[in-house]
Amino acid sequence: SQVAALVQCTSSIITHTLSVSINISVSPPARMLSYLILALAFVGCVLSEGEGEERARLLAAKRVHNLYLVEGRDIVVQYSVHNVGQAAAINVQLTDAGFSTEDFDIAGGQLQVKFDRIAPNANVSHTVVVKPKKYGYFNFTAAEVSYQPSEDSAEIQIGYTSEPGEGGIIAFRDYDRKFSPHVFDWLIFALLMIPALLVPYMMWYNIKSKYATVPRGKKGRSD
């Protein structure tokens, strides 16, 4: 009924517009003013038809929180869903099919989660932790969000989150070579440096001890 009323309103505006267009006796300034009034009337018609309909509208985002993506290390992925509509979203289901079992292990969370209700101007978040099995470039695609726009509606709305895009997963050996504290390597280096420092010290200590034990002759006093 609301769609039919909107079509009827639009049709009447178009008919009036055509009648103004073919009326050659109207001056150009008056014709421009008439077009402006008709445009405002169309906007008012649309808004008046949409005021009585309260629906939920969801905005969803998908973000990867890691600064470096490393093979075999945890990658934290967060999903945020915000309801900017005037009604509660019902049976909201978030599904991410972008992490296949061939490429990732699920270390925490679920790739499919359901929220019974998201109130107007409210937001929910969900976190998943995955571990990449191999290195290389990977395209982080958008997740799917489905929901009912109101409690009385059986219609299913389908939307998508933002898409993080392509990211490079670093091989663990390259990451470890660059960012590891290398404690074991420093320990081996210290053990190898002990003989190089100890031998010269022992030689210096022996020479010092040898000359320190030799008594100094006393100079006689002349009469």
Side-chain angles (χ1 to χ4, degrees):
S1 60
Q2 293 178 348
V3 175
L6 179 60
V7 171
Q8 183 179 1
C9 177
T10 305
S11 177
S12 62
I13 292 174
I14 293 175
T15 303
H16 186 69
T17 303
L18 292 176
S19 65
V20 172
S21 299
I22 62 178
N23 190 357
I24 59 175
S25 63
V26 179
S27 61
R31 184 174 300 180
M32 293 297 297
L33 179 61
S34 177
Y35 287 157
L36 179 60
I37 294 175
L38 291 175
L40 294 176
F42 179 75
V43 174
C45 180
V46 173
L47 293 178
S48 64
E49 293 299 329
E51 284 179 355
E53 185 179 8
E54 294 185 352
R55 296 169 63 89
R57 289 180 176 84
L58 299 184
L59 298 179
K62 173 182 177 180
R63 292 178 294 178
V64 178
H65 283 272
N66 295 61
L67 181 60
Y68 297 101
L69 309 179
V70 186
E71 173 193 13
R73 302 289 292 269
D74 290 348
I75 296 178
V76 180
V77 183
Q78 185 179 32
Y79 307 87
S80 300
V81 183
H82 184 69
N83 185 3
V84 297
Q86 298 177 350
I90 309 300
N91 296 327
V92 182
Q93 184 165 310
L94 174 68
T95 305
D96 193 345
F99 298 105
S100 64
T101 55
E102 297 179 358
D103 299 325
F104 292 89
D105 288 326
I106 308 302
Q110 298 179 351
L111 296 178
Q112 185 173 9
V113 64
K114 182 179 180 181
F115 305 98
D116 295 332
R117 178 187 178 93
I118 301 179
N121 298 320
N123 63 286
V124 295
S125 61
H126 178 66
T127 303
V128 174
V129 180
V130 297
K131 287 185 178 182
K133 295 182 178 180
K134 51 189 177 182
Y135 62 90
Y137 286 96
F138 181 80
N139 186 24
F140 293 88
T141 58
E144 182 183 281
V145 180
S146 61
Y147 63 97
Q148 295 173 230
S150 64
E151 296 182 355
D152 300 330
S153 175
E155 178 187 3
I156 302 298
Q157 293 282 345
I158 297 178
Y160 298 91
T161 66
S162 58
E163 185 175 333
E166 189 177 62
I169 300 176
I170 308 173
F172 178 77
R173 62 177 181 272
D174 296 335
Y175 178 84
D176 185 68
R177 186 185 304 115
K178 186 175 182 180
F179 296 101
S180 175
H182 302 286
V183 177
F184 182 76
D185 296 340
W186 281 109
L187 181 61
I188 297 298
F189 176 77
L191 292 176
L192 293 176
M193 288 299 296
I194 288 177
L197 296 176
L198 185 61
V199 172
Y201 174 77
M202 293 300 297
M203 294 177 62
W204 172 82
Y205 183 78
N206 290 335
I207 294 174
K208 178 177 179 300
S209 301
K210 178 179 178 181
Y211 284 97
T213 55
V214 176
R216 294 181 180 183
K218 296 182 180 181
K219 189 177 182 180
R221 181 181 299 178
S222 58
D223 293 336

